[in-house]
Amino acid sequence: MDREKLGKVIEAAKLYYLLDYNQNEIAKILGVSRPTVSRLLQQAKSDGIVQINIMDPTEDVENLALQLENKFNLKKALVTSIPQFENHIIKNYLGEKAAAYLHEIVDDGDIIGVTWGTTLYHIAIELKQKFVKNVKVVQLKGGVSHAETNTYASEILYLFGKAFNTTPHNLPLPAIVDHLVVKQAMEADRHIRKILELGKLANIALFTIGSVKTDSLLFQLGYFTDSDLESLNGKAVGDICSRFFDKEGQICNESLNERTLGVNLDDLKNKEHSILVAGGPNKIEGIYGALKGQYANVLVTDQFTAQFLLDKKD
């Protein structure tokens, strides 16, 4: 191809593929006929000057989901495609994906255990009403705090109850207390014991990962002593239901764990649907540790987090 014709092929390709001109407009600019423009564009493709890649996000996320299921022995993985790897964006997309999955699986007589926090709130606001019978919704961990920071616990329970036509069971306790005897006294109350037992019986559990950072919600609620924080520093990669674990999924601080009110991590292993909803740069280590500990059999995440988890070596 001579240099002049090559120049016209490149110019036509730039106008068409980069600047979005139509073929009639390109013909006028180059001073050629429309059929000639069509031939120039065809030449650009056949000579490799223009290479077209079609990115199908549906196909990609389905493949990522399958790989996650195989690597972590999951019952189900759901990967949602997000435009940016930003926490506030991720939660919107994860909320929509998780809410749709719940709508699909919840059936008559199910017991749904939920935690609290911004991720769960995003799920709750996306829920659509489903006309099911005898469904129960129960709070899996205490949500009363020493601070004024909103945990969204009451809003989440209300929205879940509304979606599944039931009155939710609130656990009106702090997540963590100062002394084991205080926890034992609370658990001895027959009303509290009934709610805790309902949480154990839940066949669906919905939770997220808390990051081990001072700006995360749990750390703003005033539960921790300096000694607690020191014991977690450098060891914990995340928490589920305010129970902290390391990169292998093992509990980091038994003393702190014994003072925590709510579902035990081992109980999550026995759920029909133990659903972890999480994504983002601060959650990767925690999600990986949770999957190593086998606390979830369903994972809802984004495509970037999914790829990080797949690339991560033990």
Side-chain angles (χ1 to χ4, degrees), residues 9-24:
V9 169
I10 293 170
E11 185 67 18
K14 285 181 177 178
L15 289 167
Y16 189 74
Y17 291 106
L18 297 180
L19 301 178
D20 210 24
Y21 282 77
N22 64 40
Q23 293 189 19
N24 285 328

Side-chain angles (χ1 to χ4, degrees), residues 61-72:
V61 296
E62 286 176 357
N63 184 41
L64 288 171
L66 184 60
Q67 290 182 66
L68 286 170
E69 289 169 7
N70 290 334
K71 179 173 181 178
F72 297 105

Side-chain angles (χ1 to χ4, degrees), residues 12-48:
K14 285 181 177 178
L15 289 167
Y16 189 74
Y17 291 106
L18 297 180
L19 301 178
D20 210 24
Y21 282 77
N22 64 40
Q23 293 189 19
N24 285 328
E25 291 169 333
I26 297 169
K28 290 178 183 177
I29 292 169
L30 297 183
V32 297
S33 67
R34 187 187 176 284
T36 299
V37 172
S38 181
R39 286 194 295 273
L40 291 172
L41 294 174
Q42 186 59 46
Q43 185 84 42
K45 282 196 285 184
S46 62
D47 288 357

Side-chain angles (χ1 to χ4, degrees), residues 44 96 205:
E96 187 177 351

Side-chain angles (χ1 to χ4, degrees), residues 85 87 90 94 208 277-284 287 300-302 305:
F85 201 40
N87 286 326
I90 292 169
L94 294 185
T208 188
V277 185
N282 295 333
K283 303 289 183 80
I284 294 166
I287 297 169
V300 183
T301 193
D302 63 90
T305 302

Side-chain angles (χ1 to χ4, degrees), residues 167-215:
T167 301
H169 297 267
N170 176 39
L171 187 60
L173 302 172
I176 301 167
V177 293
D178 290 337
H179 303 286
L180 178 58
V181 290
V182 175
K183 175 188 171 181
Q184 291 169 337
M186 289 177 172
E187 289 180 336
D189 179 88
R190 61 191 174 93
H191 300 292
I192 297 299
R193 191 165 61 246
K194 183 179 177 182
I195 295 169
L196 292 171
E197 284 300 320
L198 194 60
K200 285 185 180 180
L201 291 172
N203 62 309
I204 300 172
L206 192 67
F207 52 91
T208 188
I209 293 284
S211 65
V212 190
K213 291 186 175 294
T214 53
D215 60 350

Side-chain angles (χ1 to χ4, degrees), residues 51-123:
Q51 297 179 17
I52 298 174
N53 294 314
I54 297 174
M55 304 299 291
D56 183 347
T58 304
E59 181 182 320
D60 189 42
V61 296
E62 286 176 357
N63 184 41
L64 288 171
L66 184 60
Q67 290 182 66
L68 286 170
E69 289 169 7
N70 290 334
K71 179 173 181 178
F72 297 105
N73 195 28
L74 295 168
K75 178 185 289 187
K76 184 78 173 175
L78 297 160
V79 180
T80 185
S81 184
I82 59 169
Q84 289 176 275
F85 201 40
E86 299 282 346
N87 286 326
H88 65 284
I89 293 173
I90 292 169
K91 288 177 182 180
N92 287 331
Y93 282 83
L94 294 185
E96 187 177 351
K97 195 79 169 178
Y101 180 65
L102 271 177
H103 189 82
E104 178 187 323
I105 65 168
V106 172
D107 206 348
D108 295 349
D110 282 341
I111 304 173
I112 308 168
V114 299
T115 56
W116 43 254
T118 53
T119 300
L120 269 292
Y121 181 64
H122 278 85
I123 297 169

